[in-house]
Amino acid sequence: MVLPAYSSLRELQEAVVGCDRCPRLRQYCAGVAEERKPAYRNQKYWGRPVPGHGDPDARLLVVGLAPGAHGANRTGRLFTGDESSQWLATALFLHRFANQPNSDHAGDGLRLRNAYISNAVRCAPPENKPQAAEVAACRPYLEAEIELLTRLQVVLTLGRLAFETTAGVLGGAGLVFRHGAVYLLPGRPTLVASYHPSQQNTRTGLLTPSMWMEIFALVRRELDPGQTSAVRLAPGTDSGIMET
Ligand code: SF4
């Protein structure tokens, strides 16, 4: 599917918010926004497609899977308002890509520096499982974003679907997803693969805080060779207590 060219990230963001190409996802997001989780019953959900956000001069692009039904689909900002958001915000802050270690709601003051956040799919899917046709329908937005982020040097993908979609966009179709893998693509940003910081991964120990911090240290080294990370885990713990 070919989308019209966008002259700016703002124009692209507006197009995403008004998108209705995937009826199943639009219906699901609106339904979740109507029903709401008991804990958020007094809140108004966003319930629409969620565009990327961050620094237009970003050298790092982080690509996740899709908005969380009660995270970004509620707050209207990607990686905002759920446990995955907290993992990402903490890492971005500790590695100097963000001004604060939390991402709670759209008006919380979070500002990204040199980083932009996006997703392979911009509407929350049932059970976090978009269909192939939905991934394909949403991919042109990622293509447009990568073209508009003219200073990009590294794309960090979270989870297999984000990796495979982004690899396809960058001309690396068929590359193998492996946590910690780094792919140098001629004339394109470096592609880095990580497990997604979903509860399913973090609560089972598939992705630990130290593994997560190592990914961001790796990204920082790719961007600024010679600079070492100032982040370390508190002695004797791998349970999320991190200090600089
Ligand atoms: S998933 Fe993407 S293509 Fe589908 S309706 Fe949402 S924004 Fe549009």
Side-chain angles (χ1 to χ4, degrees):
M1 184 175 298
V2 178
L3 287 180
Y6 299 101
S7 60
S8 68
L9 287 165
R10 173 62 62 88
E11 198 182 314
L12 174 59
Q13 288 167 338
E14 287 169 2
V16 168
V17 172
C19 184
D20 59 1
R21 268 192 236 131
C22 307
R24 184 185 82 111
L25 298 187
R26 296 307 323 123
Q27 194 176 6
Y28 177 71
C29 291
V32 170
E34 181 68 29
E35 283 174 26
R36 291 168 286 179
K37 207 173 179 176
Y40 305 128
R41 188 127 291 154
N42 60 353
Q43 294 186 20
K44 184 167 170 38
Y45 276 47
W46 172 257
R48 287 179 278 166
V50 189
H53 69 97
D55 183 350
D57 292 325
R59 297 163 66 206
L60 168 65
L61 173 64
V62 181
V63 182
L65 166 60
H70 301 282
N73 185 54
R74 173 173 60 89
T75 62
R77 192 177 68 187
L78 292 183
F79 280 97
T80 301
D82 56 16
E83 214 170 290
S84 301
S85 315
Q86 192 53 44
W87 274 65
L88 181 58
T90 300
L92 290 172
F93 173 71
L94 291 174
H95 290 85
R96 309 189 302 282
F97 292 108
N99 67 326
Q100 62 186 41
N102 58 294
S103 179
D104 305 319
H105 57 86
D108 60 10
L110 176 69
R111 284 195 311 282
L112 301 182
R113 287 187 299 253
N114 260 326
Y116 202 87
I117 297 176
S118 187
N119 269 353
V121 173
R122 288 136 211 273
C123 293
E127 299 175 2
N128 281 326
K129 288 183 182 152
Q131 295 173 348
E134 293 159 349
V135 177
C138 215
R139 176 177 144 153
Y141 292 127
L142 181 62
E143 292 171 356
E145 231 156 27
I146 288 175
E147 291 306 314
L148 288 165
L149 292 166
T150 54
R151 296 192 68 220
L152 268 192
Q153 290 176 250
V154 174
V155 182
L156 169 61
T157 55
L158 309 180
R160 183 181 299 275
L161 192 144
F163 172 81
E164 290 178 350
T165 304
T166 308
V169 170
L170 294 177
L175 292 175
V176 177
F177 172 78
R178 183 172 54 78
H179 178 80
V182 177
Y183 291 100
L184 305 178
L185 304 164
R188 304 296 266 162
T190 297
L191 180 62
V192 179
S194 168
Y195 291 134
H196 192 287
S198 62
Q199 288 183 19
Q200 192 184 341
N201 291 340
T202 57
R203 292 191 178 179
T204 57
L206 182 66
L207 180 64
T208 66
S210 61
M211 289 166 67
W212 186 233
M213 285 302 114
E214 280 163 16
I215 287 290
F216 281 83
L218 182 160
V219 165
R220 184 48 87 184
R221 282 195 301 276
E222 289 293 326
L223 289 174
D224 301 308
Q227 277 195 27
T228 54
S229 173
V231 180
R232 64 184 171 84
L233 289 177
T237 179
D238 196 16
S239 60
I241 302 169
M242 289 166 280
E243 27 177 70
T244 55

